[in-house]
Amino acid sequence: MSSVQHGVWRPEDRAASIYQYVPVEVGAGHRALRVGLAYDRSAGVLDLGCLDPTGAFRGWSGGAREGFTIAETWSTPGYLPGPLPAGQWQVMLGLHRVPAEGLPWRLTVSTSSEPGPAPDAAAPLAPWPQRPTRSGPPLPAPPGYRWLAGDLHAHSVHSDGALTVSELARLAVASGLDFLAVTDHNTVSHHPWLPDESGILLLPGQEVTTARGHANAYGDVGWVDFRLPADDWLSIVDDRGGLVSVNHPLAADVAWLHPLHARPRLVEVWHSGWWDRTWTAPLAWLLAFDPAAVPVGGSDFHDPSDSWRLGTPTTWVLCPVTDPREATAGMLLDALRTGPVSIGESPDGPALLRLGDELVAVGADGALLTDFTGQRRPVLGDRVAFAAVPGLHWLEDHQTRVLAVSG
């Protein structure tokens, strides 16, 4: 059974609602739904997703795909496999960019009583790489604790990334990371794949993605409806035991514009888009937004061919383990809630660690310890301790380039 629907989206449609819905019928006994979306990608951007007749989320691929399949036993990455209830499904279309003259579109839908074969399996995976040891001075930690190196923002093939979860996990290990948050856009279809990767702690995540800003939801909290107000994201994730981070709040056309009555615990102050780290606007934004928020970092990694690497920046989290393999997702979330947390430019780069009543600069000889009062204190040596005072501190080099941040 197949059908075709078509039309033209216009700016007035986007003004009425950025999310539009095209109904499609799935008959009783059908075990696969296939949808193809065609439009001129040089003229605009349409996001793609799906809800079943109960309104339950069945997948999202944003602008990364031209179609999807949902079957009982398999699905396109980004979408959830399982039984197909009979009735009226909704293909979600996000009118991300629509030109003044309108954007013609065409939707091809087919259903089948057979799920059909899943796409061919990927090539065999390479063996787990050896995790490199930190080349700089060791990081001091209290007895029974260890600083874990991680990246809190990365994407796989389940949204617009180039690597599978398994490939991403291996790259994280090779990059010297102890944990990685996999935060695909507006979907949780990657979550079932995370526990199978025993070479590294993979933190479940979802990047709640809208045209007015992005936020990461960390933890096994289920799908978060990106169409709801941002305050609802916070309350939903908090009720389910997770954490929310405002992502790249000063990032081009996806800078943070959502009103919030509450404040999330985490803010992604350091992002791969912070090209010029003499530009301290991200730190100033944090001070204006919520000085008590915990600053974190994320590479927003998508593809090995990109100009930035996984783990740049690195978020350091103090966890009650002596071996990284003992850490759990719950333990990591608790450590992010309570701190201390620090950010550095890489697993091998300078670090600024808050330990009790001290701030310890490691591998930063010749840098300056700086705070919002304007005070600058020279770092003379590979491991130097300073009396700690509340508030955000950072290390900067002689060109005022930020090297490490501690909340």
Side-chain angles (χ1 to χ4, degrees):
M1 177 178 175
S2 63
S3 64
V4 175
Q5 301 187 53
H6 58 88
V8 179
W9 296 119
R10 302 191 182 278
E12 51 265 37
D13 297 316
R14 190 178 190 276
S17 175
I18 196 169
Y19 302 114
Q20 300 288 338
Y21 303 86
V22 180
V24 299
E25 290 292 332
V26 174
H30 285 189
R31 300 171 63 196
L33 167 67
R34 295 175 178 84
V35 173
L37 174 64
Y39 66 94
D40 183 356
R41 288 176 171 257
S42 68
V45 178
L46 297 178
D47 293 330
L48 182 62
C50 189
L51 303 171
D52 75 13
T54 69
F57 171 78
R58 294 302 296 264
W60 181 262
S61 49
R65 300 190 188 281
E66 297 179 348
F68 62 83
T69 296
I70 298 174
E72 281 189 344
T73 54
W74 66 276
S75 66
T76 301
Y79 293 80
L80 305 181
L84 276 66
Q88 189 176 86
W89 289 55
Q90 302 288 339
V91 174
M92 290 192 289
L93 296 177
L95 311 190
H96 187 58
R97 293 194 179 120
V98 176
E101 65 274 17
L103 186 62
W105 58 274
R106 179 183 178 91
L107 200 69
T108 303
V109 178
S110 65
T111 59
S112 172
S113 58
E114 293 298 327
D120 291 340
L125 289 167
W128 280 99
Q130 187 73 28
R131 180 181 284 104
T133 57
R134 177 177 162 84
S135 61
L139 303 186
Y145 284 77
R146 181 184 178 114
W147 289 97
L148 301 186
D151 191 329
L152 287 171
H153 192 163
H155 297 277
S156 77
V157 295
H158 287 261
S159 59
D160 54 353
L163 303 182
T164 66
V165 170
S166 295
E167 292 167 336
L168 193 59
R170 283 162 171 77
L171 180 60
V173 171
S175 301
L177 301 182
D178 301 307
F179 69 88
L180 177 70
V182 186
T183 55
D184 282 309
H185 296 283
N186 290 344
T187 189
V188 291
S189 66
H190 55 294
H191 286 194
W193 300 88
L194 302 182
D196 292 337
E197 301 305 328
S198 57
I200 186 172
L201 173 58
L202 296 181
L203 180 65
Q206 172 192 339
E207 186 168 19
V208 188
T209 303
T210 76
R212 304 184 68 231
H214 300 181
N216 273 341
Y218 299 117
D220 189 12
V221 298
W223 181 65
V224 179
D225 192 338
F226 52 91
R227 300 166 298 170
L228 295 173
D231 274 309
D232 288 353
W233 308 346
L234 298 188
S235 60
I236 290 168
V237 174
D238 184 64
D239 288 346
R240 297 174 183 174
L243 282 172
V244 170
S245 168
V246 169
N247 285 355
H248 43 65
L250 297 175
D253 66 339
V254 290
W256 188 260
L257 295 174
H258 290 283
L260 283 172
H261 295 95
R263 290 291 185 263
R265 180 63 177 154
L266 309 177
V267 174
E268 188 185 72
V269 167
W270 195 329
H271 174 265
S272 56
W274 192 9
W275 303 112
D276 182 358
R277 296 205 309 274
T278 65
W279 185 62
T280 53
L283 304 181
W285 189 92
L286 177 65
L287 179 65
F289 182 72
D290 183 5
V294 175
V296 297
S299 68
D300 202 356
F301 179 85
H302 285 77
D303 192 315
S305 65
D306 290 338
S307 58
W308 59 87
R309 296 187 299 110
L310 197 65
T312 55
T314 294
T315 299
W316 293 99
V317 181
L318 187 62
C319 281
V321 297
T322 56
D323 185 331
R325 292 171 295 184
E326 299 170 356
T328 65
M331 189 181 297
L332 185 62
L333 288 173
D334 287 342
L336 286 167
R337 282 190 188 92
T338 60
V341 177
S342 299
I343 320 169
E345 55 187 3
S346 72
D348 282 331
L352 181 61
L353 312 173
R354 188 176 289 272
L355 292 170
D357 59 357
E358 289 186 332
L359 278 167
V360 183
V362 181
D365 187 25
L368 294 172
L369 175 63
T370 308
D371 62 37
F372 274 122
T373 71
Q375 182 183 34
R376 286 179 168 83
R377 291 176 278 179
V379 178
L380 303 175
D382 278 339
R383 177 173 164 176
V384 183
F386 299 87
V389 295
L392 193 69
H393 289 71
W394 64 95
L395 296 172
E396 60 183 41
D397 64 15
H398 66 285
Q399 297 177 322
T400 72
R401 187 174 68 98
V402 175
L403 305 175
V405 174
S406 180

